[in-house]
Amino acid sequence: MSLNRNEKATVVTDVAAQVARSQTLALAEYRGMTVEHLNALRKTAREKGVYLHVLKNTLARRAVQGTPFEVAAEAMVGPLIYGFSEDAVAAAKVVSDFAKTNDKLIVKAGAYAGKALDAKGVQSLASIPSKEVLLSQLLGLMQSPVARIARVLALVAEKRGGGAEAPEAAAAEAAPAAA
């Protein structure tokens, strides 16, 4: 079914609004996929906060014109599904992970930070851990030296004879000697 001019303008406006909020674009060819597989992909994308949509390539090119995603315009050829995400890795991760389980979905290209990505670039972007995982790893690294110091101090106190009780015993021994 063909869209009239007003409907096309609406689609371009909607996609351009999503592009303005997004950090990453992932393109994949979906030729030969069943409706059930596409619905499963869309469900996964919704859960991960990825805007996933099948678009006419000319409308997609118009929507990304003048944005950092314009570098991917050359790759917008053929039956493509477009994934945009505010999270830097979510779109690439959703498309790449689904492509691993479904050979009909082929990762074609993408864009991140104003740079065009090929299929390998999208897959390497998808291999980066999520923001939450990276923050927890950073916190673990920051806590590690403090935990080591605490363990060493506890061992030193234990070897000296009891940790917190040692200063009180030393004070009690010093008091009769002073009298």
Side-chain angles (χ1 to χ4, degrees):
M1 184 171 150
S2 180
L3 300 175
N4 67 33
R5 188 175 194 158
N6 291 334
E7 292 170 332
K8 289 178 182 179
T10 303
V11 168
V12 170
T13 304
D14 291 344
V15 173
Q18 184 62 40
V19 166
R21 292 188 298 258
S22 298
Q23 289 188 38
T24 306
L25 164 65
L27 305 172
E29 186 175 308
Y30 65 94
R31 186 176 294 160
M33 285 183 61
T34 64
V35 174
E36 292 84 22
H37 288 127
L38 278 173
N39 288 338
L41 176 60
R42 286 183 174 124
K43 181 181 179 203
T44 304
R46 271 192 305 275
E47 291 169 355
K48 304 287 184 180
V50 175
Y51 175 83
L52 194 69
H53 205 67
V54 174
L55 298 168
K56 287 185 170 254
N57 295 326
T58 54
L59 298 180
R61 281 189 214 104
R62 286 183 191 153
V64 299
Q65 195 170 17
T67 69
F69 300 122
E70 190 172 19
V71 295
E74 292 176 7
M76 296 178 183
V77 178
L80 297 176
I81 192 160
Y82 293 81
F84 294 97
S85 65
E86 294 179 31
D87 183 355
V89 298
K93 191 174 288 280
V94 166
V95 171
S96 292
D97 289 349
F98 197 82
K100 289 177 187 174
T101 61
N102 189 325
D103 61 342
K104 301 285 185 190
L105 186 71
I106 302 167
V107 177
K108 287 293 185 180
Y112 174 71
K115 294 181 182 167
L117 303 173
D118 60 354
K120 289 182 182 180
V122 173
Q123 290 168 348
S124 64
L125 183 64
S127 67
I128 296 173
S130 68
K131 181 180 178 181
E132 292 79 21
V133 171
L134 289 174
L135 288 174
S136 66
Q137 288 175 349
L138 178 64
L139 183 60
L141 286 173
M142 291 170 59
Q143 287 179 338
S144 179
V146 174
R148 287 182 187 152
I149 290 172
R151 283 192 292 262
V152 168
L153 291 175
L155 287 173
V156 168
E158 186 179 306
K159 284 184 179 180
R160 287 195 173 173
E165 299 169 20
E168 294 172 8
E173 289 176 9

